[in-house]
Amino acid sequence: MDEPSVNLFGRLYRYFAGRRRVLYGATLLLVALSLFASSRLQLQEDIVAMLPDDGSSAATDFRLLQLAPFTRKLVVSLKAPAPGDSTALVATADSLAQALREAKVGTVSTGPAALGGEFFGFLGSALPSLCGEADLKRLEAATTPEKVRERLREGYEQLLAPEGWALKGKLQTDPLAFSDLVLERLRFLNLVPNMRLVQNHFVSADGSSALITVDTTVPMTDSAASRKLMDRVDAAVKKTVPAGFSATVLSGHRYTLANADAVKRDLYLVLTLSVVAIFAIYLVFLRSMSALFVFLVPSTVLAIASGAMALWATKVFAVTLGFGGVLLGMVDEYATMIYFACRKGGKDPALITAEVSRPVLSGALATLLSFGVMLLSVLPGQRQLAVYSMTGIVAALLFSLVVLPHLVRPAPGGSLPFGGMKTLRPPRRLVLVAWCALLAICAFGATRVRFNGSLQAVNLVPSELKRAEAELNRTWGDLQGKALIFAEGKDLESALELNRRVFERLAPTLPPGELVSLAPLLPSEARQSENRERWVTFWQDGRAARLERDLAREGAAFGFTGAAFAPFLATLKTPAIPLNLDGLRAAGLGELVDALVLPGPGSVRVLTLVPDRPELIERLSRELAPLPGVRLVSESRFGAVMGGSIIGDFTRYLAITGVLVFLLVAVVFRTPSRIALVLVPVVTGVVCMLGIMGLLGLAFNIFNIAATILIIGLCVDYGIFMVSRLEDGGDETSRLAVLVSGLTTLAGLGALALARHPSMQSIGVSVLLGVGTGIPAALFVIPALHRKDQP
């Protein structure tokens, strides 16, 4: 290779050679300021880092999914020692509910509001506003003289039973059971499949468990507040639930905490192991006090990158800082290159710095391009990671080329550790045969790799949460496996009308119990008005008078007085009051209403729930598409959409990174043979990573795609260093530099592979495979291919 053309860093060396105190002082001041800025950082440990913030459907769907009734609730399933003792179960549920209220965890509910006289009054008053054509035909059939006689006989017999005294008022206000038409509509408001009411408490169908729900204002994505919330809930459970009973607590906050705890634990593990391992590698290979400065370069870079993050955003995603371990092992290669070159000495330090700066700058530029592409991401976590990494790389570059040459002195006689690895030159033919065989095997293995685009594959769900999910589903049915249909209007009236149209499309096609909708009980005011007019017309032309006569005649036969049914007959003549949200709340249905009617700024959404089955979701999506303002959101489909969005994002980076890196290499090295040599570690690393994963049966997930970008950036550096130094005659220093920097990278990434969180572990394992094979390719295959004249 020609004499290095970049000599800016050589001139900088000469400039600061007489001003080293100024250089050291400025460096220390920068580090101190960075540490001070870093102290202001706040960790953010939620999934927001991986949610697109570009207003795409995935981001909108995620926000809407948070509005699902049980997503917003904390659920406590209290289980008795044995089913059957409902009194003890209800009493314990009341005690626990009271303890939760005293703990101020939110609005606690053990059952619906008491269904007293207001509820039965509501049933009667609601009829005129709810009865459509089909309902009136049923009323017509129920008001024939024969039916009147039959119904009064049933009522009379009920009055003679021990509990008959309690039914007297109901018989007076509704002798023909007209309210059954309204009661039937309540079946569309059952949010808990396997539930019955015992003493107005939610009790499981088998009588073994009671359900307590808590409406909390704590956002699921706020890990700090979630921890305080769950601590209070757990304390209340521990204090109140007696021996023999058990309580299962489940909410989105539990998942947030599980992931946050895993990420935090991984952070300590990864950073600690990375620092220790890298220090040990320096101790073995560098063997000089000046090696301490090489170690300080990446360590200092972490402080500067974190300080830069503090200036860019006060909150930093935990995954971004977790990447610090990777950055630590990645940026030290620049310092290692300059260290070995300076230790070998034999030249003017300014010239050494200028010579090394060219491959270092080329490698750093390739890595910067790799991370720079991430700035185009729609994922905030990826953009933050790009800023963090690029800041660290630039800082490492400046420290290595401007500061470090002043701190490293030539070794006595210019000798390098392990003899500069001069003896480590395996036969060329053996290297090439082994390399080709490895590539062939891994290329075959790569065809067997499975791709898993699901977000669940990289989400941590501890076994205790899986057991809790199974227990709740077994006891109460599928509480959370519902797809959401939002009918959105500019006001409540338009939203209710749209919700009615949704219901009319879905009700004929879904089995009873699968559809949860407010539409049968609260249609729009316009539809209520039509019903009331129809109601009034129905009772005209003497129909009300005939019914009054039939009731008097048939009632007399059972001993009822002439005025016994006056309250009922009055409802046929009194103008009906329109139904509204306040009326439903007053009737004791407030919890259901508030779960399904969601007012927002400038609009109102009314929610309908259906089973979240893929085939059903696909069919309903087609059927509801013609209704503007209706949006179907499914958790199962959201996972697929999110996975697709992230995959598309990462695949785009991968393609752009590959093209940019290739163009950079082509511009710097120009000839096809030299370009091919530089790309040997990249090709080897990517093929081997895919191949080994395929042979081991490891699925390739969305974080493996991000890891592939790292592999390209790192391995192309090794190729650039090796080819540049081979052509400059600096083979031994480049070998040692690539080996040591590669080992430190593996140390950082190896620690990441030990992480518990699937996303961090995925990056660690895949980069470990890619870089772990790319390093030997750089150390042995490039020299073997470069030595064409040797056997």
Side-chain angles (χ1 to χ4, degrees):
M1 184 172 281
D2 298 331
E3 189 75 11
S5 58
V6 178
N7 55 14
L8 169 65
F9 293 98
R11 291 199 298 273
L12 283 175
Y13 179 87
R14 291 191 175 116
Y15 176 79
F16 283 114
R19 303 173 179 83
R20 284 180 176 146
R21 289 186 179 181
V22 175
L23 178 64
Y24 299 156
T27 303
L28 291 174
L29 179 61
L30 176 61
V31 174
L33 291 175
S34 298
L35 288 172
F36 173 74
S38 302
S39 65
R40 299 174 54 205
L41 274 178
Q42 298 177 25
L43 277 185
Q44 193 170 345
E45 302 155 334
D46 51 41
I47 196 177
V48 174
M50 293 307 296
L51 291 176
D53 59 357
D54 60 343
S56 63
S57 62
T60 304
D61 284 359
F62 178 77
R63 287 194 296 272
L64 291 176
L65 281 171
Q66 309 311 303
L67 301 177
F70 281 100
T71 300
R72 291 171 283 161
K73 290 182 187 294
L74 187 150
V75 177
V76 182
S77 180
L78 180 68
K79 189 171 185 178
D85 189 356
S86 58
T87 302
L89 179 63
V90 166
T92 306
D94 285 339
S95 298
L96 178 54
Q98 183 58 32
L100 291 171
R101 293 187 186 101
E102 291 172 358
K104 298 180 180 178
V105 297
T107 304
V108 182
S109 174
T110 57
L115 300 180
E118 294 84 358
F119 176 71
F120 294 104
F122 160 79
L123 295 180
S125 65
L127 269 175
S129 297
L130 296 180
C131 281
E133 289 282 1
D135 298 314
L136 293 178
K137 286 183 180 178
R138 291 178 61 183
L139 289 185
E140 185 177 5
T143 53
T144 62
E146 295 78 14
K147 288 293 183 183
V148 169
R149 186 182 311 117
E150 179 183 335
R151 186 69 189 100
L152 289 182
R153 180 185 301 109
E154 292 173 1
Y156 175 73
E157 291 172 353
Q158 289 174 347
L159 286 177
L160 296 179
E163 69 276 13
W165 62 272
L167 300 175
K168 179 180 177 181
K170 181 176 184 304
L171 193 64
Q172 287 181 313
T173 56
D174 188 17
L176 302 180
F178 282 5
S179 59
D180 285 355
L181 291 175
V182 183
L183 285 172
E184 289 176 5
R185 287 167 158 78
L186 293 180
R187 74 179 190 273
F188 291 105
L189 293 176
N190 185 14
L191 294 173
V192 185
N194 298 340
M195 182 269 292
R196 60 191 173 97
L197 292 179
V198 175
Q199 300 176 36
N200 214 38
H201 285 64
F202 298 130
V203 174
S204 62
D206 62 1
S208 67
S209 304
L211 187 69
I212 301 172
T213 62
V214 180
D215 267 316
T216 175
T217 57
V218 175
M220 277 193 313
T221 53
D222 187 339
S223 61
S226 294
R227 189 177 305 282
K228 293 177 182 175
L229 172 72
M230 297 314 301
D231 285 346
R232 292 201 296 270
V233 170
D234 292 340
V237 169
K238 185 177 180 181
K239 173 185 174 184
T240 312
V241 176
F245 283 79
S246 62
T248 301
V249 182
L250 198 65
S251 74
H253 308 86
R254 283 267 195 237
Y255 297 93
T256 299
L257 286 182
N259 280 272
D261 288 344
V263 169
K264 192 172 290 184
R265 189 167 46 246
D266 289 344
L267 274 178
Y268 290 120
L269 176 71
V270 169
L271 291 177
T272 303
L273 290 181
S274 298
V275 171
V276 172
I278 290 170
F279 186 78
I281 291 169
Y282 285 165
L283 203 61
V284 171
F285 283 92
L286 275 59
R287 302 180 185 179
S288 165
M289 287 301 294
S290 56
L292 179 64
F293 299 118
V294 179
F295 179 75
L296 286 178
V297 169
S299 306
T300 308
V301 161
L302 288 184
I304 293 178
S306 300
M309 290 306 305
L311 297 177
W312 190 56
T314 54
K315 286 190 175 182
V316 59
F317 296 118
V319 173
T320 302
L321 285 190
F323 197 76
V326 180
L327 189 63
L328 196 68
M330 194 170 63
V331 299
D332 72 327
E333 59 193 30
Y334 316 137
T336 309
M337 283 287 289
I338 196 73
Y339 171 84
F340 284 120
C342 290
R343 290 289 288 171
K344 187 178 180 183
K347 296 181 183 177
D348 178 4
L351 183 57
I352 293 174
T353 304
E355 287 178 349
V356 176
S357 65
R358 184 181 178 190
V360 166
L361 284 173
S362 300
L365 186 56
T367 310
L368 283 172
L369 286 174
S370 301
F371 284 102
V373 175
M374 287 188 181
L375 290 173
L376 303 174
S377 174
V378 297
L379 308 179
Q382 291 293 314
R383 295 198 301 273
Q384 201 175 78
L385 184 60
V387 173
Y388 183 79
S389 302
M390 293 172 73
T391 305
I393 291 168
V394 171
L397 198 62
L398 294 176
F399 278 11
S400 300
L401 295 178
V402 177
V403 182
L404 193 59
H406 295 278
L407 298 169
V408 181
R409 296 286 180 266
S415 62
L416 297 177
F418 302 103
M421 296 178 62
K422 290 178 180 176
T423 58
L424 194 58
R425 289 176 179 269
R428 176 174 179 264
R429 188 169 299 168
L430 175 64
V431 169
L432 295 180
V433 170
W435 178 57
C436 291
L438 179 65
L439 282 185
I441 294 171
C442 290
F444 168 75
T447 63
R448 306 177 63 180
V449 76
R450 292 180 297 107
F451 186 78
N452 187 349
S454 170
L455 282 180
Q456 296 299 323
V458 291
N459 191 32
L460 179 67
V461 182
S463 56
E464 60 267 25
L465 285 182
K466 290 180 180 175
R467 286 196 296 272
E469 286 178 354
E471 172 67 21
L472 252 69
N473 288 338
R474 187 165 50 247
T475 305
W476 301 101
D478 193 358
L479 299 181
Q480 296 175 311
K482 300 285 188 184
L484 316 177
I485 300 173
F486 293 91
E488 183 172 3
K490 63 182 179 182
D491 51 27
L492 179 62
E493 173 67 9
S494 58
L496 288 174
E497 176 58 23
L498 190 55
N499 188 52
R500 179 191 65 78
R501 295 172 65 190
V502 170
F503 177 80
E504 289 180 353
R505 292 198 177 208
L506 301 187
T509 65
L510 291 174
E514 289 200 343
L515 178 62
V516 177
S517 174
L518 192 60
L521 208 60
L522 187 62
S524 65
E525 172 51 29
R527 178 51 63 99
Q528 289 186 49
S529 179
E530 291 177 16
N531 289 339
R532 287 194 294 272
E533 290 177 8
R534 195 179 291 114
W535 174 270
V536 171
T537 303
F538 179 79
W539 291 111
Q540 289 177 350
D541 300 329
R543 189 189 299 271
R546 284 197 298 274
L547 179 60
E548 184 174 358
R549 288 195 298 273
D550 290 344
L551 280 171
R553 183 182 64 253
E554 301 297 337
F558 295 101
F560 293 113
T561 66
F565 307 114
F568 165 71
L569 294 170
T571 63
L572 304 182
K573 303 170 184 174
T574 307
I577 301 173
L579 299 175
N580 55 38
L581 296 179
D582 290 338
L584 293 178
R585 291 191 182 102
L589 301 173
E591 191 169 352
L592 289 168
V593 167
D594 293 336
L596 299 177
V597 178
L598 309 168
S603 67
V604 176
R605 295 187 181 104
V606 180
L607 183 58
T608 295
L609 307 180
V610 295
D612 191 356
R613 297 194 296 267
E615 69 281 3
L616 177 63
I617 299 306
E618 187 177 348
R619 176 171 68 81
L620 295 185
S621 297
R622 291 194 303 270
E623 293 179 3
L624 297 176
L627 296 180
V630 174
R631 188 182 186 99
L632 172 60
V633 181
S634 153
E635 191 165 342
S636 61
R637 189 172 66 176
F638 168 75
V641 170
M642 270 297 296
S645 174
I646 295 175
I647 289 166
D649 215 22
F650 283 174
T651 305
R652 186 158 47 95
Y653 306 152
L654 193 57
I656 296 174
T657 300
V659 170
L660 290 178
V661 168
F662 179 80
L663 290 176
L664 173 68
V665 173
V667 167
V668 174
F669 292 90
R670 300 179 185 178
T671 63
S673 59
R674 297 170 71 206
I675 295 171
L677 275 181
V678 169
L679 295 179
V680 162
V682 176
V683 174
T684 306
V686 173
V687 171
C688 289
M689 177 198 68
L690 291 171
I692 295 173
M693 289 184 71
L695 294 173
L696 295 179
L698 300 176
F700 195 76
N701 61 44
I702 53 179
F703 283 94
N704 295 130
I705 300 178
T708 306
I709 298 172
L710 289 176
I711 293 171
I712 293 175
L714 288 166
C715 288
V716 79
D717 283 2
Y718 303 146
I720 290 172
F721 294 158
M722 286 301 297
V723 174
S724 298
R725 298 300 288 164
L726 280 172
E727 295 184 346
D728 288 344
D731 185 12
E732 55 183 310
T733 60
S734 61
R735 274 175 177 265
L736 268 178
V738 167
L739 176 62
V740 173
S741 64
L743 288 177
T744 55
T745 300
L746 290 178
L749 296 172
L752 202 58
L754 296 176
R756 188 183 176 202
H757 199 280
S759 61
M760 299 176 76
Q761 189 184 53
S762 293
I763 293 177
V765 169
S766 54
V767 177
L768 199 60
L769 294 174
V771 175
T773 51
I775 292 171
L779 291 176
F780 303 115
V781 179
I782 289 179
L785 291 172
H786 189 260
R787 288 180 280 131
K788 296 177 182 175
D789 54 331
Q790 298 182 22

